[in-house]
Amino acid sequence: MAHIDINAEKGTSLWEDAWRRLKKNRLALFGLGVLVLFVVSALLTPWIAPYAYDAQNLDLGATPPSAQHWLGTDIFGRDLLTQIMYGGRISLAVGFVATAVALVIGVTWGAVAGYIGGRVDAVMMRIVDILYALPFMIFIVLLMVVFGRNLLLLFLAIGAVEWLTMARIMRGQVQALRKQEFVEAAISLGLSPMTIIRRHLVPNALGPIIVYTTLTIPSVMLLEAFLSFLGLGIQPPKTSWGLLISYGAETMEEYPWLLIFPGLALTTTLFALNFLGDGLRDALDVRRSAD
Amino acid sequence: MWRFIIGRLLQAIPVIFIVITATFFLVRAAPGGPFDAEKAVIPEVKAALERQYRLDLPIHEQYIAYLVDLSQGDLGPSFKYPGRTINELIESGLPATAELGAYALLIAVIIGSLAGIAAALRPNTLQDYIPMSMAMIGICMPTFLLGPILVLIFGIHLDWLPVSGWGDIPGDKLMPSITLGAAYAAYVARLSRAGMLEVLSQDYIRTARAKGLPEWQVVLKHGLRGGMLPVVAFLGPAFAGLLAGSFVVETIFQIPGLGRFYVQAAFNRDYTMILGTTVFLSTLIVLFNLLSDIVAAWLNPRLRAQLSE
Amino acid sequence: MNLLEVRDLQVDFNTRNGHTIAVNKISFTVKKGEITAIIGESGSGKSVACYSLLGLLPQPPASIESGTAVFEGRDLLTLSESELRQIRGRDIAMIFQDPMTCLNPFMTIGDQLIEPLMFHKKVSKASALARAKELLVEVGIRDPEATINNYPHEFSGGMRQRVMIAMALINEPKLLIADEPTTALDVTIQAQILKLVADLQKKRDIGVIFISHDLAVVADIADQIIVMEKGFVVEQGDSNAIFTAASHPYTQKLLAAIPSDTKVTTLNDPEPLIQVKNLKTYFNTGTTVVKAVDDVSFDINRGEIVGLVGESGSGKSTIGRSILRLLPITSGHISLDGQDLTKLDTNTLKQTRRRMQMIFQDPYASLNPRMSVYDTLAEPLLLHKIETRKTVEHAVLRLMDEVGLARAFIRKYPHEFSGGQRQRIAIGRALATKPEFIVADEPVSALDVTIQAQILDLMLDLGKQYGLTMLFVSHDLAVVRHIADRIIVLYHGKIVETGTSETLFNTPQEAYTKSLLASIPGRNRLAS
């Protein structure tokens, strides 16, 4: 189409607009940077970790940070940086996978309930209400006890808790958008329901979903770390940040670095995700771009 | 209003029923019985034990028997503490947990809302940035990390506060309460800041200013009620998280409360203890949610009117 | 006697997006015992000027750069916040635009009413309440004993505005500033509130500043008129002078924007294109059934513009949406060109939709914010296979020419346009499929008055060019009179009266129609 709009002014879509605002938010950019760094290093861990995961040196024992072991070693003489990198793989994987589970279930459930409306909506949201009232934290502890500490189950269990809010947000979005006049206009043009959902509803509902997804990942990671700390999550020989913190807490009097560095890894990630989420919330706020 | 409360109570019944049923069958579905761990159990003794705990009955009869006991407020005997009932154990653990939870909640509400309101009064100044940065730290610093770090600093290095116990040495309640309350104070601060900012931008606040009222009256009389509604609505669901947090805090500080019982019971596969505490805690959570809904409705005249229709 | 003298007032805004001068060196005086109207469109600085006098603007971003505002010998702009507070609500009181949001929903109206009295005059609660009840009666609220303990949501919009007025008057202020106090109200309510404000002003002999975007609204009540545009006062003077001999082109433009009584004639073919028979559209709210449209029948002839008039809750928008099958109807028949629309299967309905389109009220909500002008206008053309992917861009550009949008804007998104431009995009979308019938649902009520006139002209032009049949839904009788051949008056879902524009305006039969006509603002002034 370049043959006509030589004189056309470049428009700024709301996505470009949001990105421009996000770029101005230094904390959010910092969050994004840290996150990318951590994710890349988690993906490359087997190749870039300074030591092998199972390399022990019982003679060495726990040593504070040094030139050979930047973050020190644990009581078995294992390199702490290597441990944190491998633990990060699991912690981040739990965060991303469980959030993805929640995202898929929640968005589908909410979109269907919101779009169909009426009795179907009432029944579907009633189910969500009842599930909301269940004390899931206690249930997850129970599940882990009963079925053993199984990574897949952990994903499913955490995802099963977090989808509820996602479903509510999506339903609210769809319901609000359906009443918008541009959707009525699309109906009166004769567009099919599928096209309306794809072209008019989803792109407009995406903002809040992206924001909430970014904020769900840290709360999922926190939940995993909580369970691992209690000894109900990830199980040795696998490790996660929560597990490392739990070990670190046991020996913190003698070897404080074993608590501090894994703790730092977890909090930095949570900071990064929360900053990014807050930044996205400000940047994607449609009302804000209107004025 | 009464109809609303009764209606919500009626809604809570199926929820609690689902919790009881799901917990009961989940626990029974667990591989391995409670007495498998003790290797030297003679078959006759084991059979006697199973009879005592009704494990010899078909599962549906066990379930019905449990429900019958429960309807009389009897949570059954403990597997791991022979001769003691779950009721007794809960009674012994509850006071410490309740006290810890109450202090944590107080810290969360008072410090959190003061910080949030202060931030909302001067947004985008130091008065906003400092409490909100603290809140961000509070949200990103999980209980199980904050606890050990506080112990490390104030308990071990500075030696100001005792590192464990509950009610034994003066001041030993301070660190656990702060550890548990900190994250919630952070959430409350963020919620009350957002709520107050929202309310303070409303037209009726401008009306109040146009009346010539001093700023503190505008904020307290006209702003506070609407601004605090999100906080009230948050407290119900937060209570569930607070209980879960007490598992960790009671473990770290060795507090003889319900949370520690629960975690121990989970490791010991103490069926009746898990069942009993789950039922008890769930009921508590459901009731607390109900309470926060009622308070939120009571604060909002419009909702109150809808409810009393 | 001058009550307030404003000289060289300048208010700037410093935001991240830059520096703007909202009020630029304006001067005016308000006399005791007179109503001074400040007229201007959005962004003219009319409200900013008044709010800055009372220290009600958040600073920053606002900053008062220069000027004096002498009220009773004191310059308001140099007073401290606590000195200003002594004046606010006691000597100068305000009423705001939207009574729905300006009263605190968490307090009873009694508590809100007595607040200024107790704060400024330190009277006892009992005597404050007694005074509040007297005032409620005076502003026309019956049974104050019972209503004083009610919450705002228990009142209608008009009643809330009466409460607001009582609250403003409770300290017997010397100056009342009313910021668009009737804009959010229905026409008949608007007329009542205007009369109330004028009566109370006469009785108390106080000064009033009446801010409005609409010259017609203040035509009957204002003694003095100040016209503002983009921060400047472009013209001010005696109300008569403004209406009869306005000198500034912008004032003339505003006056011209008041829809004239003269009806624009359109083609009219006595063959009905749309037939509505016994239409009923009910909404089930769970507890009650709302009869939004209750047994309505009418025809629209080919080429005719029919005005559908009513206040909020009359069912006028529901009828438009029912005809276009955007809402499920309860019973009745609707036909387009003899074809019963209520009996069409999905596929035929989709084909038929290109023949009938809708233009919506809110141009901010009626365009998908994530679609550019090109996407929005190309969608109907491609959907109905009117154009191919290759030819569609030319068609979009032609459409943009027709609705008066610069071609260079083709890649821009809705949020980059003004309200009037957005409405042009929406009109372009509605006309893309070359429909025969258009439902226009309050298409200009969200726009500034001068823009309103432009959009109405555009619609009339295009209507003629395309030979459109139109159902024009509006609450604004003056607008409808200007554009419609025939008018249908609705009340609570039923047709009250039907007639040609001429007969309905000159010889209304029903009492409701008469009261509607009497409520048209500025009728007396503009008739003379």
PDB file of all heavy atoms in Angstrom, chain A residues 117-143:
ATOM      1  N   GLY A 117     -22.672 -15.201  28.728  1.00  0.00           N
ATOM      2  CA  GLY A 117     -23.523 -14.481  29.664  1.00  0.00           C
ATOM      3  C   GLY A 117     -24.692 -15.331  30.143  1.00  0.00           C
ATOM      4  O   GLY A 117     -24.699 -16.549  29.975  1.00  0.00           O
ATOM      5  N   GLY A 118     -25.661 -14.687  30.738  1.00  0.00           N
ATOM      6  CA  GLY A 118     -26.887 -15.348  31.164  1.00  0.00           C
ATOM      7  C   GLY A 118     -26.644 -16.443  32.186  1.00  0.00           C
ATOM      8  O   GLY A 118     -25.814 -16.310  33.084  1.00  0.00           O
ATOM      9  N   ARG A 119     -27.353 -17.557  32.013  1.00  0.00           N
ATOM     10  CA  ARG A 119     -27.312 -18.627  33.004  1.00  0.00           C
ATOM     11  C   ARG A 119     -25.944 -19.314  33.038  1.00  0.00           C
ATOM     12  O   ARG A 119     -25.433 -19.655  34.096  1.00  0.00           O
ATOM     13  CB  ARG A 119     -28.411 -19.631  32.683  1.00  0.00           C
ATOM     14  CG  ARG A 119     -28.625 -20.622  33.798  1.00  0.00           C
ATOM     15  CD  ARG A 119     -30.015 -21.186  33.742  1.00  0.00           C
ATOM     16  NE  ARG A 119     -31.023 -20.146  33.922  1.00  0.00           N
ATOM     17  CZ  ARG A 119     -32.326 -20.394  34.060  1.00  0.00           C
ATOM     18  NH1 ARG A 119     -32.754 -21.631  34.026  1.00  0.00           N
ATOM     19  NH2 ARG A 119     -33.186 -19.411  34.221  1.00  0.00           N
ATOM     20  N   VAL A 120     -25.366 -19.519  31.854  1.00  0.00           N
ATOM     21  CA  VAL A 120     -24.048 -20.165  31.784  1.00  0.00           C
ATOM     22  C   VAL A 120     -23.047 -19.364  32.614  1.00  0.00           C
ATOM     23  O   VAL A 120     -22.294 -19.913  33.422  1.00  0.00           O
ATOM     24  CB  VAL A 120     -23.567 -20.237  30.317  1.00  0.00           C
ATOM     25  CG1 VAL A 120     -22.169 -20.821  30.259  1.00  0.00           C
ATOM     26  CG2 VAL A 120     -24.535 -21.060  29.492  1.00  0.00           C
ATOM     27  N   ASP A 121     -23.082 -18.053  32.420  1.00  0.00           N
ATOM     28  CA  ASP A 121     -22.185 -17.163  33.154  1.00  0.00           C
ATOM     29  C   ASP A 121     -22.428 -17.294  34.653  1.00  0.00           C
ATOM     30  O   ASP A 121     -21.489 -17.432  35.439  1.00  0.00           O
ATOM     31  CB  ASP A 121     -22.431 -15.728  32.674  1.00  0.00           C
ATOM     32  CG  ASP A 121     -21.655 -14.713  33.474  1.00  0.00           C
ATOM     33  OD1 ASP A 121     -20.467 -14.949  33.715  1.00  0.00           O
ATOM     34  OD2 ASP A 121     -22.248 -13.700  33.864  1.00  0.00           O
ATOM     35  N   ALA A 122     -23.702 -17.288  35.043  1.00  0.00           N
ATOM     36  CA  ALA A 122     -24.038 -17.354  36.467  1.00  0.00           C
ATOM     37  C   ALA A 122     -23.470 -18.629  37.087  1.00  0.00           C
ATOM     38  O   ALA A 122     -22.847 -18.588  38.153  1.00  0.00           O
ATOM     39  CB  ALA A 122     -25.552 -17.293  36.647  1.00  0.00           C
ATOM     40  N   VAL A 123     -23.670 -19.758  36.397  1.00  0.00           N
ATOM     41  CA  VAL A 123     -23.188 -21.031  36.934  1.00  0.00           C
ATOM     42  C   VAL A 123     -21.652 -21.043  36.993  1.00  0.00           C
ATOM     43  O   VAL A 123     -21.048 -21.399  38.009  1.00  0.00           O
ATOM     44  CB  VAL A 123     -23.703 -22.208  36.072  1.00  0.00           C
ATOM     45  CG1 VAL A 123     -23.007 -23.508  36.480  1.00  0.00           C
ATOM     46  CG2 VAL A 123     -25.205 -22.337  36.220  1.00  0.00           C
ATOM     47  N   MET A 124     -21.031 -20.607  35.897  1.00  0.00           N
ATOM     48  CA  MET A 124     -19.565 -20.645  35.841  1.00  0.00           C
ATOM     49  C   MET A 124     -18.936 -19.753  36.924  1.00  0.00           C
ATOM     50  O   MET A 124     -17.956 -20.124  37.562  1.00  0.00           O
ATOM     51  CB  MET A 124     -19.068 -20.211  34.458  1.00  0.00           C
ATOM     52  CG  MET A 124     -19.288 -21.266  33.393  1.00  0.00           C
ATOM     53  SD  MET A 124     -18.801 -20.698  31.752  1.00  0.00           S
ATOM     54  CE  MET A 124     -17.045 -21.014  31.799  1.00  0.00           C
ATOM     55  N   MET A 125     -19.506 -18.576  37.131  1.00  0.00           N
ATOM     56  CA  MET A 125     -18.909 -17.687  38.115  1.00  0.00           C
ATOM     57  C   MET A 125     -19.237 -18.121  39.547  1.00  0.00           C
ATOM     58  O   MET A 125     -18.490 -17.865  40.465  1.00  0.00           O
ATOM     59  CB  MET A 125     -19.344 -16.235  37.880  1.00  0.00           C
ATOM     60  CG  MET A 125     -18.800 -15.635  36.599  1.00  0.00           C
ATOM     61  SD  MET A 125     -17.147 -16.193  36.077  1.00  0.00           S
ATOM     62  CE  MET A 125     -16.094 -15.258  37.157  1.00  0.00           C
ATOM     63  N   ARG A 126     -20.360 -18.813  39.712  1.00  0.00           N
ATOM     64  CA  ARG A 126     -20.709 -19.382  41.020  1.00  0.00           C
ATOM     65  C   ARG A 126     -19.638 -20.401  41.413  1.00  0.00           C
ATOM     66  O   ARG A 126     -19.212 -20.472  42.559  1.00  0.00           O
ATOM     67  CB  ARG A 126     -22.088 -20.054  40.892  1.00  0.00           C
ATOM     68  CG  ARG A 126     -22.770 -20.374  42.148  1.00  0.00           C
ATOM     69  CD  ARG A 126     -23.452 -19.178  42.783  1.00  0.00           C
ATOM     70  NE  ARG A 126     -23.351 -19.372  44.219  1.00  0.00           N
ATOM     71  CZ  ARG A 126     -22.671 -18.597  45.021  1.00  0.00           C
ATOM     72  NH1 ARG A 126     -22.102 -17.518  44.565  1.00  0.00           N
ATOM     73  NH2 ARG A 126     -22.586 -18.866  46.295  1.00  0.00           N
ATOM     74  N   ILE A 127     -19.217 -21.196  40.429  1.00  0.00           N
ATOM     75  CA  ILE A 127     -18.167 -22.195  40.697  1.00  0.00           C
ATOM     76  C   ILE A 127     -16.886 -21.475  41.141  1.00  0.00           C
ATOM     77  O   ILE A 127     -16.241 -21.870  42.110  1.00  0.00           O
ATOM     78  CB  ILE A 127     -17.915 -23.050  39.436  1.00  0.00           C
ATOM     79  CG1 ILE A 127     -19.139 -23.930  39.169  1.00  0.00           C
ATOM     80  CG2 ILE A 127     -16.657 -23.899  39.597  1.00  0.00           C
ATOM     81  CD1 ILE A 127     -19.088 -24.684  37.861  1.00  0.00           C
ATOM     82  N   VAL A 128     -16.563 -20.412  40.435  1.00  0.00           N
ATOM     83  CA  VAL A 128     -15.363 -19.649  40.808  1.00  0.00           C
ATOM     84  C   VAL A 128     -15.500 -19.097  42.233  1.00  0.00           C
ATOM     85  O   VAL A 128     -14.569 -19.177  43.029  1.00  0.00           O
ATOM     86  CB  VAL A 128     -15.120 -18.500  39.798  1.00  0.00           C
ATOM     87  CG1 VAL A 128     -14.024 -17.568  40.292  1.00  0.00           C
ATOM     88  CG2 VAL A 128     -14.746 -19.058  38.449  1.00  0.00           C
ATOM     89  N   ASP A 129     -16.691 -18.583  42.552  1.00  0.00           N
ATOM     90  CA  ASP A 129     -16.918 -18.041  43.905  1.00  0.00           C
ATOM     91  C   ASP A 129     -16.670 -19.100  44.968  1.00  0.00           C
ATOM     92  O   ASP A 129     -16.025 -18.845  45.981  1.00  0.00           O
ATOM     93  CB  ASP A 129     -18.361 -17.539  44.045  1.00  0.00           C
ATOM     94  CG  ASP A 129     -18.559 -16.213  43.324  1.00  0.00           C
ATOM     95  OD1 ASP A 129     -17.540 -15.616  42.941  1.00  0.00           O
ATOM     96  OD2 ASP A 129     -19.709 -15.800  43.157  1.00  0.00           O
ATOM     97  N   ILE A 130     -17.219 -20.305  44.721  1.00  0.00           N
ATOM     98  CA  ILE A 130     -17.089 -21.375  45.713  1.00  0.00           C
ATOM     99  C   ILE A 130     -15.612 -21.750  45.851  1.00  0.00           C
ATOM    100  O   ILE A 130     -15.089 -21.888  46.954  1.00  0.00           O
ATOM    101  CB  ILE A 130     -17.953 -22.588  45.327  1.00  0.00           C
ATOM    102  CG1 ILE A 130     -19.427 -22.236  45.532  1.00  0.00           C
ATOM    103  CG2 ILE A 130     -17.570 -23.808  46.154  1.00  0.00           C
ATOM    104  CD1 ILE A 130     -20.388 -23.315  45.147  1.00  0.00           C
ATOM    105  N   LEU A 131     -14.934 -21.891  44.707  1.00  0.00           N
ATOM    106  CA  LEU A 131     -13.519 -22.262  44.761  1.00  0.00           C
ATOM    107  C   LEU A 131     -12.706 -21.186  45.480  1.00  0.00           C
ATOM    108  O   LEU A 131     -11.754 -21.488  46.187  1.00  0.00           O
ATOM    109  CB  LEU A 131     -12.975 -22.485  43.352  1.00  0.00           C
ATOM    110  CG  LEU A 131     -13.501 -23.742  42.651  1.00  0.00           C
ATOM    111  CD1 LEU A 131     -12.951 -23.833  41.241  1.00  0.00           C
ATOM    112  CD2 LEU A 131     -13.130 -24.984  43.434  1.00  0.00           C
ATOM    113  N   TYR A 132     -13.117 -19.925  45.281  1.00  0.00           N
ATOM    114  CA  TYR A 132     -12.427 -18.823  45.938  1.00  0.00           C
ATOM    115  C   TYR A 132     -12.453 -18.978  47.451  1.00  0.00           C
ATOM    116  O   TYR A 132     -11.514 -18.635  48.156  1.00  0.00           O
ATOM    117  CB  TYR A 132     -13.106 -17.496  45.577  1.00  0.00           C
ATOM    118  CG  TYR A 132     -12.200 -16.547  44.855  1.00  0.00           C
ATOM    119  CD1 TYR A 132     -12.423 -16.222  43.536  1.00  0.00           C
ATOM    120  CD2 TYR A 132     -11.106 -15.975  45.494  1.00  0.00           C
ATOM    121  CE1 TYR A 132     -11.590 -15.367  42.853  1.00  0.00           C
ATOM    122  CE2 TYR A 132     -10.266 -15.123  44.829  1.00  0.00           C
ATOM    123  CZ  TYR A 132     -10.511 -14.816  43.504  1.00  0.00           C
ATOM    124  OH  TYR A 132      -9.684 -13.980  42.854  1.00  0.00           O
ATOM    125  N   ALA A 133     -13.591 -19.459  47.935  1.00  0.00           N
ATOM    126  CA  ALA A 133     -13.762 -19.538  49.382  1.00  0.00           C
ATOM    127  C   ALA A 133     -12.960 -20.694  49.983  1.00  0.00           C
ATOM    128  O   ALA A 133     -12.798 -20.769  51.189  1.00  0.00           O
ATOM    129  CB  ALA A 133     -15.246 -19.702  49.700  1.00  0.00           C
ATOM    130  N   LEU A 134     -12.464 -21.601  49.122  1.00  0.00           N
ATOM    131  CA  LEU A 134     -11.706 -22.730  49.663  1.00  0.00           C
ATOM    132  C   LEU A 134     -10.314 -22.265  50.074  1.00  0.00           C
ATOM    133  O   LEU A 134      -9.671 -21.501  49.371  1.00  0.00           O
ATOM    134  CB  LEU A 134     -11.580 -23.833  48.604  1.00  0.00           C
ATOM    135  CG  LEU A 134     -12.869 -24.521  48.192  1.00  0.00           C
ATOM    136  CD1 LEU A 134     -12.575 -25.579  47.137  1.00  0.00           C
ATOM    137  CD2 LEU A 134     -13.549 -25.161  49.380  1.00  0.00           C
ATOM    138  N   PRO A 135      -9.854 -22.739  51.212  1.00  0.00           N
ATOM    139  CA  PRO A 135      -8.515 -22.362  51.677  1.00  0.00           C
ATOM    140  C   PRO A 135      -7.438 -23.162  50.935  1.00  0.00           C
ATOM    141  O   PRO A 135      -7.008 -24.208  51.386  1.00  0.00           O
ATOM    142  CB  PRO A 135      -8.553 -22.715  53.161  1.00  0.00           C
ATOM    143  CG  PRO A 135      -9.622 -23.733  53.293  1.00  0.00           C
ATOM    144  CD  PRO A 135     -10.566 -23.578  52.166  1.00  0.00           C
ATOM    145  N   PHE A 136      -7.005 -22.637  49.793  1.00  0.00           N
ATOM    146  CA  PHE A 136      -6.147 -23.414  48.914  1.00  0.00           C
ATOM    147  C   PHE A 136      -4.746 -23.636  49.458  1.00  0.00           C
ATOM    148  O   PHE A 136      -4.146 -24.677  49.218  1.00  0.00           O
ATOM    149  CB  PHE A 136      -6.055 -22.756  47.543  1.00  0.00           C
ATOM    150  CG  PHE A 136      -7.066 -23.303  46.618  1.00  0.00           C
ATOM    151  CD1 PHE A 136      -8.215 -22.614  46.340  1.00  0.00           C
ATOM    152  CD2 PHE A 136      -6.877 -24.550  46.047  1.00  0.00           C
ATOM    153  CE1 PHE A 136      -9.170 -23.130  45.500  1.00  0.00           C
ATOM    154  CE2 PHE A 136      -7.823 -25.082  45.204  1.00  0.00           C
ATOM    155  CZ  PHE A 136      -8.974 -24.369  44.933  1.00  0.00           C
ATOM    156  N   MET A 137      -4.254 -22.639  50.169  1.00  0.00           N
ATOM    157  CA  MET A 137      -2.900 -22.765  50.691  1.00  0.00           C
ATOM    158  C   MET A 137      -2.794 -24.033  51.527  1.00  0.00           C
ATOM    159  O   MET A 137      -1.864 -24.815  51.410  1.00  0.00           O
ATOM    160  CB  MET A 137      -2.602 -21.532  51.553  1.00  0.00           C
ATOM    161  CG  MET A 137      -1.178 -21.403  51.925  1.00  0.00           C
ATOM    162  SD  MET A 137      -0.210 -20.793  50.559  1.00  0.00           S
ATOM    163  CE  MET A 137      -0.157 -19.069  50.981  1.00  0.00           C
ATOM    164  N   ILE A 138      -3.831 -24.245  52.347  1.00  0.00           N
ATOM    165  CA  ILE A 138      -3.864 -25.420  53.196  1.00  0.00           C
ATOM    166  C   ILE A 138      -4.003 -26.681  52.343  1.00  0.00           C
ATOM    167  O   ILE A 138      -3.379 -27.701  52.606  1.00  0.00           O
ATOM    168  CB  ILE A 138      -5.022 -25.263  54.201  1.00  0.00           C
ATOM    169  CG1 ILE A 138      -4.663 -24.141  55.176  1.00  0.00           C
ATOM    170  CG2 ILE A 138      -5.289 -26.549  54.935  1.00  0.00           C
ATOM    171  CD1 ILE A 138      -5.765 -23.789  56.124  1.00  0.00           C
ATOM    172  N   PHE A 139      -4.785 -26.542  51.274  1.00  0.00           N
ATOM    173  CA  PHE A 139      -5.000 -27.693  50.405  1.00  0.00           C
ATOM    174  C   PHE A 139      -3.736 -28.117  49.679  1.00  0.00           C
ATOM    175  O   PHE A 139      -3.485 -29.303  49.486  1.00  0.00           O
ATOM    176  CB  PHE A 139      -6.085 -27.385  49.380  1.00  0.00           C
ATOM    177  CG  PHE A 139      -7.375 -28.007  49.751  1.00  0.00           C
ATOM    178  CD1 PHE A 139      -8.314 -27.291  50.445  1.00  0.00           C
ATOM    179  CD2 PHE A 139      -7.619 -29.326  49.444  1.00  0.00           C
ATOM    180  CE1 PHE A 139      -9.492 -27.874  50.829  1.00  0.00           C
ATOM    181  CE2 PHE A 139      -8.797 -29.925  49.824  1.00  0.00           C
ATOM    182  CZ  PHE A 139      -9.747 -29.193  50.523  1.00  0.00           C
ATOM    183  N   ILE A 140      -2.959 -27.129  49.265  1.00  0.00           N
ATOM    184  CA  ILE A 140      -1.732 -27.470  48.550  1.00  0.00           C
ATOM    185  C   ILE A 140      -0.780 -28.208  49.492  1.00  0.00           C
ATOM    186  O   ILE A 140      -0.170 -29.213  49.115  1.00  0.00           O
ATOM    187  CB  ILE A 140      -1.084 -26.203  47.955  1.00  0.00           C
ATOM    188  CG1 ILE A 140      -1.963 -25.681  46.825  1.00  0.00           C
ATOM    189  CG2 ILE A 140       0.304 -26.517  47.422  1.00  0.00           C
ATOM    190  CD1 ILE A 140      -1.458 -24.431  46.185  1.00  0.00           C
ATOM    191  N   VAL A 141      -0.696 -27.737  50.718  1.00  0.00           N
ATOM    192  CA  VAL A 141       0.122 -28.442  51.705  1.00  0.00           C
ATOM    193  C   VAL A 141      -0.349 -29.891  51.802  1.00  0.00           C
ATOM    194  O   VAL A 141       0.439 -30.834  51.744  1.00  0.00           O
ATOM    195  CB  VAL A 141       0.022 -27.739  53.081  1.00  0.00           C
ATOM    196  CG1 VAL A 141       0.707 -28.571  54.154  1.00  0.00           C
ATOM    197  CG2 VAL A 141       0.635 -26.357  53.015  1.00  0.00           C
ATOM    198  N   LEU A 142      -1.656 -30.034  51.886  1.00  0.00           N
ATOM    199  CA  LEU A 142      -2.257 -31.359  52.004  1.00  0.00           C
ATOM    200  C   LEU A 142      -1.914 -32.232  50.791  1.00  0.00           C
ATOM    201  O   LEU A 142      -1.503 -33.387  50.929  1.00  0.00           O
ATOM    202  CB  LEU A 142      -3.769 -31.168  52.113  1.00  0.00           C
ATOM    203  CG  LEU A 142      -4.570 -32.346  52.624  1.00  0.00           C
ATOM    204  CD1 LEU A 142      -4.173 -32.619  54.058  1.00  0.00           C
ATOM    205  CD2 LEU A 142      -6.043 -32.013  52.544  1.00  0.00           C
ATOM    206  N   LEU A 143      -2.064 -31.655  49.602  1.00  0.00           N
ATOM    207  CA  LEU A 143      -1.782 -32.391  48.361  1.00  0.00           C
ATOM    208  C   LEU A 143      -0.343 -32.887  48.342  1.00  0.00           C
ATOM    209  O   LEU A 143      -0.073 -34.026  47.971  1.00  0.00           O
ATOM    210  CB  LEU A 143      -2.007 -31.475  47.154  1.00  0.00           C
ATOM    211  CG  LEU A 143      -3.412 -31.396  46.592  1.00  0.00           C
ATOM    212  CD1 LEU A 143      -3.455 -30.390  45.468  1.00  0.00           C
ATOM    213  CD2 LEU A 143      -3.843 -32.765  46.096  1.00  0.00           C
TER     214      LEU A 143
END
